[in-house]
């Protein structure tokens, strides 16, 4: 499979717990993005990497959120002390200079109870 | 910041044509994208316009007018499987790669 993959696909957690999601981009893509999507809305940009460098973070990304891409390949997104408002679909996408558009993974659906 | 506006919902009959409009106000511009998203699934890339004019890809076409801050996605020969949300997104000229999305237009295709 040469597409973007994300794990887990679903995560249910209790408020206050920490969660970590993983994204594996398309192998030749050097750019990786995290978005969050709630029902009835378009995806909202969270953060963006070019290779291992995190180039931009949205104001939506509070101190409880951290993302890494240590070797410029896969990326992780961690949410500490989860809140009910964090319940959403977390989407990862990747692109390259020649890919034109960004290609999305299947997403991780987080439910905070 | 950016405002990206598109209609909430459109209904059309199988075999017909539907045009989804998108208007945007941006501080920078580096391309406009259209994505299709079926319920519970990830967005799928459909088209990309960076210059004014029409881009055609099979049954789907996308048009851009940068001076008017306007784009449309044209879906021809509608099929039932085209029932989905269609997302308009602008790539921010200040940040290569980041996309700002509209809320999406839910297209319902009826028999």
């Amino acid at each position: 499979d040469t597409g973007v993959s994300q794990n887990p696909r679903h995560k249910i957690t209790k408020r206050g717990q920490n969660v970590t999601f993983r994204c594996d981009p398309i192998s030749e893509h050097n750019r990786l993005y995290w978005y969050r999507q709630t029902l009835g809305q378009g995806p909202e940009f969270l953060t963006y990497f070019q290779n291992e460098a995190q180039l931009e973070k949205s104001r939506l990304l509070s101190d409880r959120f951290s993302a890494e891409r240590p070797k410029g390949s896969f990326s992780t997104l961690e949410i500490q002390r989860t809140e009910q408002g964090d319940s959403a679909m977390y989407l990862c996408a990747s692109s390259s200079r020649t890919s034109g558009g960004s290609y999305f993974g299947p997403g991780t659906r987080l439910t905070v109870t | 910041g950016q405002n990206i506006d598109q209609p909430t919902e459109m209904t059309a009959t199988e075999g017909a044509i539907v045009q989804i409009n998108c208007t945007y106000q941006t501080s920078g511009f580096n391309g406009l994208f259209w994505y299709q998203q079926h319920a519970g699934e990830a967005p799928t890339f459909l088209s990309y316009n960076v210059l004014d004019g029409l881009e055609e890809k099979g049954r789907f076409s996308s048009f851009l007018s940068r001076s008017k801050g306007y784009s449309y996605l044209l879906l021809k020969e509608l099929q039932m499987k085209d029932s989905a949300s269609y997302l308009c997104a602008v790539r921010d000229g200040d940040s290569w790669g980041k996309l700002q999305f509209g809320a999406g237009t839910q297209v319902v295709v009826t028999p």
Side-chain angles (χ1 to χ4, degrees):
Chain A
D1 184 6
T2 56
V4 179
S5 62
Q6 293 186 247
N7 288 289
R9 295 291 306 277
H10 303 273
K11 179 71 177 177
I12 301 173
T13 191
K14 292 185 177 179
R15 189 178 53 185
Q17 297 295 305
N18 299 344
V19 293
T20 300
F21 310 141
R22 175 176 169 131
C23 170
D24 288 87
I26 294 172
S27 59
E28 60 266 28
H29 287 179
N30 60 343
R31 298 172 181 151
L32 186 149
Y33 318 85
W34 286 99
Y35 292 85
R36 179 173 68 188
Q37 187 176 25
T38 54
L39 197 62
Q41 298 299 314
E44 295 174 294
F45 171 77
L46 293 178
T47 190
Y48 151 57
F49 291 85
Q50 179 154 321
N51 300 313
E52 65 276 9
Q54 188 173 18
L55 297 187
E56 186 173 345
K57 292 194 290 186
S58 162
R59 285 170 292 180
L60 293 173
L61 215 63
S62 75
D63 292 345
R64 297 184 297 106
F65 287 71
S66 63
E68 294 182 344
R69 193 182 184 199
K71 297 181 181 178
S73 56
F74 72 91
S75 175
T76 58
L77 178 68
E78 181 182 16
I79 309 174
Q80 296 181 325
R81 305 181 302 281
T82 51
E83 301 173 357
Q84 286 187 314
D86 297 331
S87 295
M89 175 75 86
Y90 289 84
L91 293 164
C92 175
S94 71
S95 75
S96 68
R97 191 173 292 275
T98 56
S99 69
S102 295
Y103 292 84
F104 282 82
T108 295
R109 182 167 295 284
L110 174 66
T111 303
V112 182
T113 62
Chain B
Q2 302 189 112
N3 290 325
I4 301 170
D5 294 313
Q6 51 183 130
T8 303
E9 184 171 320
M10 302 182 75
T11 301
T13 310
E14 197 174 9
I17 298 172
V18 69
Q19 177 174 315
I20 306 169
N21 296 324
C22 172
T23 58
Y24 62 91
Q25 293 176 304
T26 64
S27 54
F29 181 85
N30 200 353
L32 188 138
F33 296 77
W34 285 96
Y35 284 83
Q36 179 192 62
Q37 187 174 30
H38 286 99
E41 297 182 10
T44 303
F45 171 64
L46 288 178
S47 71
Y48 161 57
N49 295 71
V50 66
L51 299 175
D52 290 353
L54 188 68
E55 294 282 341
E56 297 188 82
K57 261 189 182 183
R59 295 188 299 114
F60 295 173
S61 303
S62 57
F63 172 82
L64 174 67
S65 169
R66 288 172 296 170
S67 62
K68 295 182 180 177
Y70 168 70
S71 173
Y72 67 73
L73 180 70
L74 196 68
L75 313 181
K76 302 177 218 174
E77 301 168 16
L78 279 173
Q79 301 175 9
M80 298 299 291
K81 67 178 181 179
D82 297 330
S83 291
S85 180
Y86 291 83
L87 299 160
C88 173
V90 173
R91 188 158 63 192
D92 188 331
D94 294 327
S95 180
W96 186 261
K98 179 183 73 176
L99 295 174
Q100 297 281 352
F101 283 86
T105 298
Q106 186 66 43
V107 170
V108 178
V109 181
T110 59

